[in-house]
Amino acid sequence: MLELVLLLTLGLFVCQLLLLVYLYTTKTWAIKKENAANRLYHELFPDYLSYLTGDTDIEPMLPKNDELKQKVLERILSGFTNIMTDSAGRARIQQSAEAHLATIYRKKLKSSNWSKRMNALYLIEDFMMHSLREDVKEHLHSITIIDEEYRQTLRILASFQEESLLEYMFSRPNMSIGLIKEILRRLPLSFLTDIMVVLKKDEDDVPYAIRQAFIDYCGESGYYEFLPFIEYMLTHQSKETRIKALKSLHQYQYCSNPTIIVPFFTSEHWEERLHAAKLTGMMKLTEFSDYLILLAGDRVWWVRFQACEALKKMTDGEILLAYLSEQHEDMYAKDMAKQTLTMRAGGQV
């Protein structure tokens, strides 16, 4: 019995010793590879700086080992991606990445390791590796879970101006507004125009989220080409869509015909009355001051507040507010006018 215990103890000791040796060897090898990568990075950086900035047309030689080449080149190119603004320099980043990393990333997209696939996807977009367009499209159709991998794959296709992406989006009613806006920010003006045309002609065939995201993005981007469309959306049957359009006009800080917002001053929906007042103040539409005076006595506090804030922005705003604080027939309007007059920057009284 004692011999058996001794044998088991010895066996455990040997196993622990072998494990320690394995860990030590693995760690030593990892440090050795990291040191080699660091040395090579510092050796190649000056030459790559000259190459990417156009001082020389000769690209530096890279190691044949794929792992070492990937680690060093990714570090170099990533460092330049965010600071290189001229088209020639960015083109050289793309050429280097496609020449040396495309095969590596193509394999990683098929890896069972999620983090490896994600790393490859982020860098494919950073380096604008158009040669992997078809691989990315294929990868999209292989994804079964709606997660960051799915979202990043769509971002890449948008950055690559993939024509089939619009049809794909139109067939996915469950895409979030946030993701759609990320895609829209990467699309060229011609694609955005195509979306607008479809929304005007075949709106029923377009998911609700795309319509809402597109209206949002028009104001965010400030494209005046889409201003008539936003103004057209003010007549939409959906309250949510009309409110989105009003918010978009806030970002434009302009509308071609201010009278189109007049119906909203007397809307049955307080949100529309609020946004009409806000837009009036933002654009300093003094011709609508009477409507603001009316809304200063609105039954909803937020509308009263926004109406008085809008009045304050007018040339004679403080005079009007002083008059309201004394003469308005509504006691709530009087109180709001007084509060607005005494309000300092930052919302403090």
Side-chain angles (χ1 to χ4, degrees), residues 92-263:
R92 290 197 173 191
I93 290 175
Q94 178 185 348
Q95 290 166 7
S96 293
E98 292 190 333
H100 304 293
L101 299 175
T103 301
I104 296 173
Y105 291 167
R106 188 174 285 116
K107 292 178 182 178
K108 288 187 180 295
L109 287 180
K110 299 183 182 298
S111 171
S112 59
N113 186 305
W114 185 87
S115 62
K116 288 184 178 180
R117 298 196 305 270
M118 281 304 304
N119 185 60
L121 287 168
Y122 281 127
L123 292 172
I124 287 171
E125 183 179 20
D126 286 346
F127 302 151
M128 292 301 289
M129 300 172 67
H130 289 272
S131 63
L132 294 177
R133 178 194 298 263
E134 294 302 319
D135 299 274
V136 175
K137 286 169 62 177
E138 181 182 338
H139 185 67
L140 174 63
H141 295 292
S142 71
I143 297 174
T144 57
I145 301 174
I146 307 302
D147 61 357
E148 180 59 19
E149 182 176 9
Y150 171 77
R151 291 187 286 272
Q152 177 57 20
T153 303
L154 289 174
R155 293 184 197 112
I156 293 172
L157 293 176
S159 296
F160 288 0
Q161 301 180 18
E162 171 55 43
E163 292 183 0
S164 64
L165 182 59
L166 295 187
E167 183 179 351
Y168 180 88
M169 289 170 60
F170 291 154
S171 66
R172 296 297 188 279
N174 296 322
M175 289 179 69
S176 70
I177 290 178
L179 175 58
I180 295 170
K181 286 178 67 176
E182 287 190 70
I183 293 172
L184 295 178
R185 292 186 190 110
R186 290 165 166 81
L187 294 178
L189 185 59
S190 60
F191 279 39
L192 297 172
T193 302
D194 290 342
I195 294 175
M196 181 192 70
V197 171
V198 175
L199 280 170
K200 291 187 72 172
K201 291 185 176 180
D202 304 296
E203 183 185 337
D204 292 339
D205 296 332
V206 181
Y208 171 82
I210 290 182
R211 182 178 73 216
Q212 302 302 89
F214 185 77
I215 293 172
D216 258 354
Y217 179 68
C218 286
E220 177 187 303
S221 65
Y223 282 129
Y224 279 94
E225 294 89 337
F226 302 127
L227 181 61
F229 171 76
I230 297 301
E231 294 176 340
Y232 170 74
M233 285 290 106
L234 292 176
T235 62
H236 199 276
Q237 60 183 357
S238 165
K239 180 190 77 171
E240 290 77 14
T241 298
R242 295 195 303 270
I243 292 173
K244 281 283 186 186
L246 285 167
K247 289 181 177 179
S248 189
L249 288 180
H250 293 165
Q251 293 178 300
Y252 276 110
Q253 297 187 28
Y254 175 81
C255 64
S256 61
N257 179 15
T259 59
I260 61 178
I261 68 174
V262 169

Side-chain angles (χ1 to χ4, degrees), residues 37-53 55-56 58 60-62 72-81 83-84:
N38 284 333
R39 284 195 302 272
L40 190 58
Y41 169 79
H42 290 295
E43 289 175 9
L44 290 175
F45 184 85
D47 293 334
Y48 254 101
L49 175 61
S50 298
Y51 173 68
L52 295 175
T53 55
D55 291 339
T56 178
I58 302 174
M61 291 291 292
L62 290 166
V72 172
L73 190 57
E74 281 180 353
R75 187 175 170 186
I76 292 173
L77 298 183
S78 294
F80 282 104
T81 298
I83 61 173
M84 191 70 67

